[in-house]
Amino acid sequence: MKRTYLAKRNAILSRENLSWGSGALAFALIMLVLRLVAPDAFVASVTPAIRLSQAMTAGSRTFFSSFADAATLSAKNEDLMIQNVAFANENQMLMQKVADLTALFGEVGASTESIVAGVILRPPESPYDTFLVNVGSNSGVTLEMGAFGPGGVPLGSVTEVAEKSARITLFSAPGMHTGGWVGTAKVPLALTGRGGGVLDAVVSRSAPIVVGDIVYMPGPGALPVGSVIRIDSDPTSPSVTLRIQNALNLFSVMWVELRAL
């Protein structure tokens, strides 16, 4: 059976396209003649079309610019959120600093001769029973100034000074010796540092001392330095050894007050 192949019509030369093309050509010729013969009438006839085109252009510009505005506002909103978080963190740090300084000066009392120092290195980053602080000779720090923690707790003394930093050796450092007393009976003590925030003191077996008694050091009044956590004794010895734990957690001390002793 023979297949019938139909010739494809040329889309460009189709009757429908020819009629549209003829109409467009005729309209263009009419507008050209109108512009040459009656320019005012030509302007009046095309003005509505021009205004409609301008309005559509302005509308489309506004429509598409709204997307750009939304993206810009979203980016600004994200930046503001980031800034808000940063300000909140900074505010929290300042509040903590105020709380620390209030605790530090609330008990001791602010002195015109005292220097507040921030602890930048503490155990275990620094050698045990030493602090490194962020003030030095430029701020008036001198050797053998006393260091006091929050609540006026004696911590140690300045043993090294640089221009912008200083090292504090704590009373609990091995080999450090200082005087004090313990309990309500105010039994005199010779305190010796043993390291790790612990001090020792040897007293008479008959001394009225029990576990939990507070140990004090001299200063502007009686300053608590720690408490008795254990009493070691040898039945053959007339004396006992007191194990004294520092009153502060050395790992959490953030600020100290330096004063001349």
Side-chain angles (χ1 to χ4, degrees):
M1 183 176 181
K2 269 190 176 182
R3 293 185 181 178
T4 304
Y5 294 92
L6 298 177
K8 294 183 179 179
R9 294 183 178 181
N10 191 316
I12 298 177
L13 300 178
S14 65
R15 182 178 299 176
E16 183 179 355
N17 285 345
L18 285 175
S19 62
W20 278 101
S22 300
L25 181 59
F27 178 77
L29 290 174
I30 292 172
M31 296 303 293
L32 178 61
V33 172
L34 182 63
R35 182 177 182 182
L36 295 175
V37 175
D40 293 338
F42 173 78
V43 172
S45 63
V46 299
T47 296
I50 294 174
R51 289 179 178 174
L52 178 62
S53 175
Q54 291 176 345
M56 292 179 64
T57 301
S60 63
R61 186 181 297 113
T62 302
F63 176 74
F64 287 110
S65 66
S66 65
F67 290 100
D69 292 342
T72 302
L73 289 175
S74 178
K76 288 183 178 179
N77 185 54
E78 186 174 353
D79 290 340
L80 289 174
M81 290 178 65
I82 294 174
Q83 292 179 16
N84 186 53
V85 172
F87 287 144
N89 291 338
E90 184 178 359
N91 185 55
Q92 185 66 30
M93 292 174 62
L94 291 175
M95 290 177 64
Q96 183 61 48
K97 181 176 179 179
V98 170
D100 290 341
L101 294 180
T102 300
L104 185 62
F105 287 117
E107 297 289 335
V108 178
S111 170
T112 56
E113 299 179 354
S114 66
I115 300 171
V116 176
V119 179
I120 54 179
L121 283 179
R122 66 185 63 77
E125 288 83 8
S126 66
Y128 262 86
D129 301 285
T130 62
F131 285 165
L132 186 68
V133 296
N134 62 352
V135 294
S137 58
N138 289 350
S139 301
V141 179
T142 59
L143 289 173
E144 298 184 357
M145 291 184 77
F148 301 83
V153 175
L155 294 176
S157 59
V158 177
T159 53
E160 294 181 24
V161 181
E163 289 185 358
K164 297 182 179 180
S165 63
R167 185 176 300 278
I168 298 169
T169 300
L170 306 182
F171 291 124
S172 58
M176 286 286 287
H177 300 281
T178 186
W181 61 89
V182 61
T184 56
K186 298 182 179 179
V187 178
L189 296 176
L191 300 169
T192 301
R194 296 302 180 190
V198 177
L199 300 99
D200 282 355
V202 178
V203 297
S204 171
R205 180 183 294 276
S206 61
I209 301 172
V210 296
V211 172
D213 278 351
I214 304 300
V215 178
Y216 299 90
M217 284 186 178
L223 303 178
V225 67
S227 59
V228 178
I229 59 172
R230 196 174 79 236
I231 300 176
D232 295 338
S233 63
D234 183 347
T236 62
S237 175
S239 61
V240 295
T241 301
L242 308 180
R243 307 298 182 184
I244 303 162
Q245 180 67 50
N246 200 293
L248 293 177
N249 181 358
L250 302 181
F251 296 96
S252 62
V253 175
M254 303 295 295
W255 303 88
V256 296
E257 181 190 11
L258 304 179
R259 288 189 279 115
L261 297 176

